[in-house]
Amino acid sequence: MAKKYIPPKQGVASQLFDVASLLALVFGALFLPIWLKIAVPSRVEELPPGVSYQLQTDGSKKWSGLTWEKLRQNPTMQQQWEKLGYSKEQAADIITQPFKYDIDVLGVGITAIVVIGYFVFMLVMSEKEYREVIAEKFD
């Protein structure tokens, strides 16, 4: 008759350390790109033809040539902006600075290599531990 396998027990302190380590890794993975300013979307100002502004001393903008049509907003869009409480000057600050989302192919490739490498590592380690358990139980 085979000996009953009893897995090793982990103490409470070790479990808390594991949880804290995993939380630190998750927060690091999520916030590190932001702290390093890698994951910040870029916004480039694109003024429509015939529209310009001058910065005032109080930081506000004095627009010239600004119309809803030049911002490429139809009457329905204009109405929605106004329902949200935006004037055409306030909406121009948002409309003329669209987000640019460019895909960093190198970054995606490195991420894929890290994820696949981690998966292979876990597969190899799991197989090793599985074989140890089988050997412990049946040898």
Side-chain angles (χ1 to χ4, degrees):
M1 173 115 184
K3 185 177 160 187
K4 184 178 179 187
Y5 175 73
I6 301 170
K9 292 191 177 192
Q10 186 178 25
V12 174
S14 298
Q15 290 179 14
L16 290 175
F17 177 77
D18 286 349
V19 169
S21 299
L22 287 173
L23 283 174
L25 288 172
V26 168
F27 282 113
L30 293 175
F31 289 112
L32 194 62
I34 294 171
W35 288 330
L36 295 175
K37 298 188 178 193
I38 297 171
V40 178
S42 62
R43 296 184 87 175
V44 178
E45 189 174 70
E46 296 176 358
L47 293 177
V51 175
S52 63
Y53 66 85
Q54 287 183 323
L55 277 177
Q56 304 297 309
T57 54
D58 63 349
S60 64
K61 296 176 181 175
K62 184 177 180 182
W63 293 91
S64 62
L66 184 65
T67 62
W68 285 111
E69 292 77 24
K70 286 186 179 178
L71 291 173
R72 290 184 234 148
Q73 302 296 301
N74 62 34
T76 305
M77 297 163 107
Q78 175 188 348
Q79 203 174 29
Q80 297 305 317
W81 280 108
E82 289 169 350
K83 278 184 185 176
L84 292 171
Y86 286 94
S87 66
K88 66 181 173 195
E89 290 82 9
Q90 292 169 322
D93 283 336
I94 299 169
I95 295 169
T96 59
Q97 293 185 13
F99 287 103
K100 298 284 183 187
Y101 294 100
D102 298 324
I103 295 176
D104 180 12
V105 176
L106 180 63
V108 171
I110 290 171
T111 303
I113 289 170
V114 169
V115 170
I116 292 169
Y118 178 74
F119 177 74
V120 169
F121 171 76
M122 291 302 295
L123 204 59
V124 169
M125 292 306 292
S126 295
E127 181 185 6
K128 183 180 171 188
E129 286 186 14
Y130 178 74
R131 290 187 183 279
E132 285 175 5
V133 168
I134 296 297
E136 208 175 284
K137 189 171 182 178
F138 293 108
D139 289 341

PDB file of all heavy atoms in Angstrom, residues 114-128:
ATOM      1  N   VAL A 114       8.191  38.235 -22.006  1.00  0.00           N
ATOM      2  CA  VAL A 114       8.157  38.081 -20.538  1.00  0.00           C
ATOM      3  C   VAL A 114       6.995  37.185 -20.123  1.00  0.00           C
ATOM      4  O   VAL A 114       7.163  36.270 -19.309  1.00  0.00           O
ATOM      5  CB  VAL A 114       8.062  39.460 -19.856  1.00  0.00           C
ATOM      6  CG1 VAL A 114       7.744  39.320 -18.372  1.00  0.00           C
ATOM      7  CG2 VAL A 114       9.355  40.239 -20.051  1.00  0.00           C
ATOM      8  N   VAL A 115       5.813  37.400 -20.702  1.00  0.00           N
ATOM      9  CA  VAL A 115       4.643  36.597 -20.326  1.00  0.00           C
ATOM     10  C   VAL A 115       4.834  35.137 -20.739  1.00  0.00           C
ATOM     11  O   VAL A 115       4.578  34.211 -19.956  1.00  0.00           O
ATOM     12  CB  VAL A 115       3.357  37.189 -20.954  1.00  0.00           C
ATOM     13  CG1 VAL A 115       2.178  36.243 -20.795  1.00  0.00           C
ATOM     14  CG2 VAL A 115       3.036  38.537 -20.323  1.00  0.00           C
ATOM     15  N   ILE A 116       5.313  34.917 -21.953  1.00  0.00           N
ATOM     16  CA  ILE A 116       5.535  33.539 -22.418  1.00  0.00           C
ATOM     17  C   ILE A 116       6.641  32.879 -21.600  1.00  0.00           C
ATOM     18  O   ILE A 116       6.537  31.703 -21.226  1.00  0.00           O
ATOM     19  CB  ILE A 116       5.851  33.533 -23.931  1.00  0.00           C
ATOM     20  CG1 ILE A 116       4.602  33.941 -24.706  1.00  0.00           C
ATOM     21  CG2 ILE A 116       6.347  32.170 -24.377  1.00  0.00           C
ATOM     22  CD1 ILE A 116       4.837  34.226 -26.173  1.00  0.00           C
ATOM     23  N   GLY A 117       7.710  33.623 -21.293  1.00  0.00           N
ATOM     24  CA  GLY A 117       8.793  33.082 -20.463  1.00  0.00           C
ATOM     25  C   GLY A 117       8.294  32.687 -19.087  1.00  0.00           C
ATOM     26  O   GLY A 117       8.664  31.631 -18.564  1.00  0.00           O
ATOM     27  N   TYR A 118       7.440  33.530 -18.500  1.00  0.00           N
ATOM     28  CA  TYR A 118       6.879  33.207 -17.184  1.00  0.00           C
ATOM     29  C   TYR A 118       6.020  31.951 -17.276  1.00  0.00           C
ATOM     30  O   TYR A 118       6.087  31.078 -16.411  1.00  0.00           O
ATOM     31  CB  TYR A 118       6.055  34.380 -16.653  1.00  0.00           C
ATOM     32  CG  TYR A 118       5.405  34.104 -15.331  1.00  0.00           C
ATOM     33  CD1 TYR A 118       6.157  34.069 -14.169  1.00  0.00           C
ATOM     34  CD2 TYR A 118       4.036  33.863 -15.242  1.00  0.00           C
ATOM     35  CE1 TYR A 118       5.567  33.795 -12.946  1.00  0.00           C
ATOM     36  CE2 TYR A 118       3.443  33.586 -14.034  1.00  0.00           C
ATOM     37  CZ  TYR A 118       4.211  33.559 -12.894  1.00  0.00           C
ATOM     38  OH  TYR A 118       3.620  33.277 -11.692  1.00  0.00           O
ATOM     39  N   PHE A 119       5.225  31.834 -18.353  1.00  0.00           N
ATOM     40  CA  PHE A 119       4.380  30.658 -18.532  1.00  0.00           C
ATOM     41  C   PHE A 119       5.235  29.396 -18.652  1.00  0.00           C
ATOM     42  O   PHE A 119       4.953  28.378 -18.021  1.00  0.00           O
ATOM     43  CB  PHE A 119       3.495  30.830 -19.774  1.00  0.00           C
ATOM     44  CG  PHE A 119       2.644  29.642 -20.068  1.00  0.00           C
ATOM     45  CD1 PHE A 119       1.536  29.354 -19.296  1.00  0.00           C
ATOM     46  CD2 PHE A 119       2.960  28.794 -21.119  1.00  0.00           C
ATOM     47  CE1 PHE A 119       0.750  28.250 -19.564  1.00  0.00           C
ATOM     48  CE2 PHE A 119       2.182  27.692 -21.391  1.00  0.00           C
ATOM     49  CZ  PHE A 119       1.070  27.416 -20.607  1.00  0.00           C
ATOM     50  N   VAL A 120       6.293  29.443 -19.437  1.00  0.00           N
ATOM     51  CA  VAL A 120       7.177  28.282 -19.607  1.00  0.00           C
ATOM     52  C   VAL A 120       7.846  27.939 -18.279  1.00  0.00           C
ATOM     53  O   VAL A 120       7.939  26.768 -17.895  1.00  0.00           O
ATOM     54  CB  VAL A 120       8.219  28.554 -20.719  1.00  0.00           C
ATOM     55  CG1 VAL A 120       9.303  27.491 -20.734  1.00  0.00           C
ATOM     56  CG2 VAL A 120       7.531  28.648 -22.074  1.00  0.00           C
ATOM     57  N   PHE A 121       8.314  28.973 -17.544  1.00  0.00           N
ATOM     58  CA  PHE A 121       8.935  28.749 -16.234  1.00  0.00           C
ATOM     59  C   PHE A 121       7.962  28.038 -15.299  1.00  0.00           C
ATOM     60  O   PHE A 121       8.329  27.066 -14.626  1.00  0.00           O
ATOM     61  CB  PHE A 121       9.372  30.098 -15.641  1.00  0.00           C
ATOM     62  CG  PHE A 121       9.817  30.015 -14.221  1.00  0.00           C
ATOM     63  CD1 PHE A 121      11.069  29.500 -13.894  1.00  0.00           C
ATOM     64  CD2 PHE A 121       8.994  30.457 -13.194  1.00  0.00           C
ATOM     65  CE1 PHE A 121      11.475  29.416 -12.577  1.00  0.00           C
ATOM     66  CE2 PHE A 121       9.397  30.386 -11.879  1.00  0.00           C
ATOM     67  CZ  PHE A 121      10.635  29.861 -11.557  1.00  0.00           C
ATOM     68  N   MET A 122       6.720  28.507 -15.241  1.00  0.00           N
ATOM     69  CA  MET A 122       5.719  27.886 -14.367  1.00  0.00           C
ATOM     70  C   MET A 122       5.424  26.455 -14.797  1.00  0.00           C
ATOM     71  O   MET A 122       5.248  25.570 -13.956  1.00  0.00           O
ATOM     72  CB  MET A 122       4.421  28.709 -14.369  1.00  0.00           C
ATOM     73  CG  MET A 122       4.551  30.052 -13.693  1.00  0.00           C
ATOM     74  SD  MET A 122       5.079  29.948 -11.973  1.00  0.00           S
ATOM     75  CE  MET A 122       3.715  29.103 -11.242  1.00  0.00           C
ATOM     76  N   LEU A 123       5.391  26.213 -16.097  1.00  0.00           N
ATOM     77  CA  LEU A 123       5.140  24.863 -16.601  1.00  0.00           C
ATOM     78  C   LEU A 123       6.269  23.918 -16.207  1.00  0.00           C
ATOM     79  O   LEU A 123       6.030  22.795 -15.730  1.00  0.00           O
ATOM     80  CB  LEU A 123       4.997  24.928 -18.124  1.00  0.00           C
ATOM     81  CG  LEU A 123       4.207  23.839 -18.809  1.00  0.00           C
ATOM     82  CD1 LEU A 123       2.786  23.794 -18.278  1.00  0.00           C
ATOM     83  CD2 LEU A 123       4.209  24.045 -20.298  1.00  0.00           C
ATOM     84  N   VAL A 124       7.511  24.359 -16.357  1.00  0.00           N
ATOM     85  CA  VAL A 124       8.671  23.526 -16.016  1.00  0.00           C
ATOM     86  C   VAL A 124       8.705  23.255 -14.514  1.00  0.00           C
ATOM     87  O   VAL A 124       8.919  22.114 -14.080  1.00  0.00           O
ATOM     88  CB  VAL A 124       9.979  24.202 -16.504  1.00  0.00           C
ATOM     89  CG1 VAL A 124      11.198  23.502 -15.923  1.00  0.00           C
ATOM     90  CG2 VAL A 124      10.035  24.212 -18.025  1.00  0.00           C
ATOM     91  N   MET A 125       8.486  24.307 -13.712  1.00  0.00           N
ATOM     92  CA  MET A 125       8.520  24.128 -12.250  1.00  0.00           C
ATOM     93  C   MET A 125       7.376  23.236 -11.778  1.00  0.00           C
ATOM     94  O   MET A 125       7.561  22.405 -10.880  1.00  0.00           O
ATOM     95  CB  MET A 125       8.443  25.498 -11.555  1.00  0.00           C
ATOM     96  CG  MET A 125       9.673  26.342 -11.765  1.00  0.00           C
ATOM     97  SD  MET A 125      11.219  25.517 -11.302  1.00  0.00           S
ATOM     98  CE  MET A 125      11.031  25.425  -9.551  1.00  0.00           C
ATOM     99  N   SER A 126       6.202  23.382 -12.377  1.00  0.00           N
ATOM    100  CA  SER A 126       5.067  22.530 -11.996  1.00  0.00           C
ATOM    101  C   SER A 126       5.346  21.077 -12.339  1.00  0.00           C
ATOM    102  O   SER A 126       5.023  20.176 -11.553  1.00  0.00           O
ATOM    103  CB  SER A 126       3.798  22.996 -12.717  1.00  0.00           C
ATOM    104  OG  SER A 126       3.435  24.265 -12.290  1.00  0.00           O
ATOM    105  N   GLU A 127       5.931  20.842 -13.491  1.00  0.00           N
ATOM    106  CA  GLU A 127       6.245  19.471 -13.881  1.00  0.00           C
ATOM    107  C   GLU A 127       7.254  18.867 -12.907  1.00  0.00           C
ATOM    108  O   GLU A 127       7.113  17.722 -12.480  1.00  0.00           O
ATOM    109  CB  GLU A 127       6.807  19.418 -15.296  1.00  0.00           C
ATOM    110  CG  GLU A 127       7.109  17.999 -15.731  1.00  0.00           C
ATOM    111  CD  GLU A 127       7.788  17.935 -17.090  1.00  0.00           C
ATOM    112  OE1 GLU A 127       8.123  19.003 -17.634  1.00  0.00           O
ATOM    113  OE2 GLU A 127       8.000  16.827 -17.579  1.00  0.00           O
ATOM    114  N   LYS A 128       8.260  19.661 -12.513  1.00  0.00           N
ATOM    115  CA  LYS A 128       9.271  19.184 -11.573  1.00  0.00           C
ATOM    116  C   LYS A 128       8.627  18.821 -10.228  1.00  0.00           C
ATOM    117  O   LYS A 128       8.888  17.756  -9.682  1.00  0.00           O
ATOM    118  CB  LYS A 128      10.326  20.272 -11.385  1.00  0.00           C
ATOM    119  CG  LYS A 128      11.456  19.875 -10.488  1.00  0.00           C
ATOM    120  CD  LYS A 128      12.441  21.022 -10.359  1.00  0.00           C
ATOM    121  CE  LYS A 128      13.470  20.708  -9.286  1.00  0.00           C
ATOM    122  NZ  LYS A 128      14.322  21.846  -8.986  1.00  0.00           N
TER     123      LYS A 128
END
